[in-house]
């Protein structure tokens, strides 16, 4: 609910809020269409068969795995906007060109259903989206013009930024996204840690950092879903999520284009930080669609501390 002094409370919907941000009409269109597509994704997550791609359902119809279905829903919707030129998704091997011209248009990279392996155990999952002006998707995340995610939990929430702060919307009973949090802000340091990856594969530096957090009294909060785990850090305004380099996988697991860049953009917009341990996530030049990087993301001081441990500045 949003209220102005002396006025009755009213709900601000996503489109109206975007119009107040003084951004290009085409960008508003892209964000609103993604929000619409996500209503179909949540419906599929909630009611769809938990099928595996290529298998048949009760009626002998071929089923699509939820991540493949979610990808199709988003891709179709983005193509139909008429204002998106290039599209890349975690489910596609290459960039899909929806429009040849790039002038005044946008390119979108997304993970249609991050954490899809959690659906069959009924844990929260989400869609993550990164938006650039023009056709280039292989550029540093700092150049994003917008980033957003939709979290499919007990409630459905949409968190976005167009570089003017971070806002949360929640899906109401009329299936409208209405404003629930304005100018989401991170504290300088926090007491939540969310560590991904097998601990017995951690390097000694990462192991020391984790011990430091534990000794400091941080609470372990890790669901195994990147969207809910980041949402917790962001909405509580405190804590750090990490998915470090592991022995045997020096680039960690998470993907720059579809996962790290959009989340780093949102966290930075809220006053937090995101680093691969050396440089800011948003300054990494992607080498391929599949570019992966270790990540430390959350409160500024906590991310700085992680860097100190990684660079052996703390004994
Ligand atoms: P998932 O494999 O279930 O799709 O990148 C995907 C992801 O989940 C993230 O959502 C999550 O943060 C991470 O992988 C979890 O990986 P671990 O199981 O190795 O912790």
């Amino acid at each position: 609910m949003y209220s102005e002094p002396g006025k009755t409370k009213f709900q601000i919907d996503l489109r109206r809020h975007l119009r107040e941000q003084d951004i290009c009409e085409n960008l508003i269109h892209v964000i609103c269409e993604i929000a619409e597509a996500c209503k179909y994704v949540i419906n599929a997550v909630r009611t769809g068969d938990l099928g595996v791609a290529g298998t048949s359902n009760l009626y002998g119809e071929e089923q699509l795995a939820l991540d493949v279905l979610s990808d199709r829903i988003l891709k179709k919707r983005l193509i139909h906007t008429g204002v998106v030129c290039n599209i890349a998704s975690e489910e596609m091997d290459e960039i899909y060109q929806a429009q040849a011209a790039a002038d005044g248009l946008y390119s979108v990279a997304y993970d249609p259903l991050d954490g899809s392996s959690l659906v069959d155990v009924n844990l929260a999952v989400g869609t993550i989206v990164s938006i650039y002006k023009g056709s280039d998707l292989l550029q540093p995340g700092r150049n994003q013009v917008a980033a957003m995610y939709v979290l499919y939990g007990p409630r459905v929430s949409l968190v976005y930024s167009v570089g003017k702060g971070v806002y949360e919307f929640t899906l109401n009973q009329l299936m409208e996204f209405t404003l629930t949090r304005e100018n989401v802000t991170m504290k300088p340091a926090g007491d939540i840690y969310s560590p991904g990856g097998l601990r017995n594969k951690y390097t000694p530096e990462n192991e020391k950092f984790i011990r430091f957090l534990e000794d400091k009294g941080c609470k372990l909060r890790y669901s195994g879903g990147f969207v809910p785990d980041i949402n917790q850090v962001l909405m509580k305004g405190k804590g750090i999520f990490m998915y470090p380099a592991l022995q045997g996988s020096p680039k960690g697991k998470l993907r720059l284009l579809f996962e790290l860049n959009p989340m780093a953009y949102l966290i930075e917009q809220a006053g937090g930080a995101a680093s691969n341990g050396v440089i800011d996530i948003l300054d990494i030049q992607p080498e391929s669609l599949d570019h992966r990087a270790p990540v430390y993301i959350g409160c500024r001081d906590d991310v700085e501390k992680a860097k100190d441990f990684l660079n052996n500045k703390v004994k």
Side-chain angles (χ1 to χ4, degrees), residues 275-314:
S275 169
N276 65 0
V278 182
I279 63 167
D280 288 351
I281 292 291
L282 294 180
D283 291 328
I284 300 174
Q285 172 63 50
E287 284 153 16
S288 65
L289 291 181
D290 191 39
H291 194 128
R292 290 164 201 256
V295 65
Y296 303 83
I297 178 168
C299 293
R300 284 208 153 269
D301 295 354
D302 295 340
V303 172
E304 271 315 304
K305 202 67 178 177
K307 286 162 70 180
D308 288 347
F309 274 93
L310 290 168
N311 298 305
N312 286 313
K313 288 191 190 150
V314 184

Side-chain angles (χ1 to χ4, degrees), residues 114-117 197 222 224-226 241 243 253-254 259:
D114 187 82
S116 53
S117 65
Y222 186 72
F226 191 46
F241 174 98
Y243 203 111
K253 176 180 185 186
L254 301 180
E259 295 170 311

Side-chain angles (χ1 to χ4, degrees), residues 100-116:
D103 222 21
L105 306 193
Y106 293 88
S107 289
V108 180
Y110 63 89
D111 184 350
L113 198 60
D114 187 82
S116 53

Side-chain angles (χ1 to χ4, degrees), residues 189-201:
D191 57 4
I192 292 174
Y193 74 116
S194 194
L198 280 181
R199 182 122 174 217
N200 64 6
K201 295 259 184 325

Side-chain angles (χ1 to χ4, degrees), residues 50 66 115-123:
L50 298 176
L66 281 173
S116 53
S117 65
L118 301 174
V119 174
D120 57 0
V121 289
N122 207 10
L123 283 172

Side-chain angles (χ1 to χ4, degrees), residues 66-102:
L66 281 173
D67 42 9
V68 178
L69 179 59
S70 308
D71 186 46
R72 288 201 185 170
I73 292 169
L74 276 145
K75 186 177 171 192
K76 200 168 164 195
R77 199 99 195 181
L78 287 170
I79 293 169
H80 280 137
T81 60
V83 296
V84 170
C85 43
N86 282 337
I87 301 172
S89 111
E90 233 218 10
E91 298 297 321
M92 302 178 201
D93 294 334
E94 48 190 43
I95 292 174
Y96 178 87
Q97 191 186 60
Q99 307 268 341

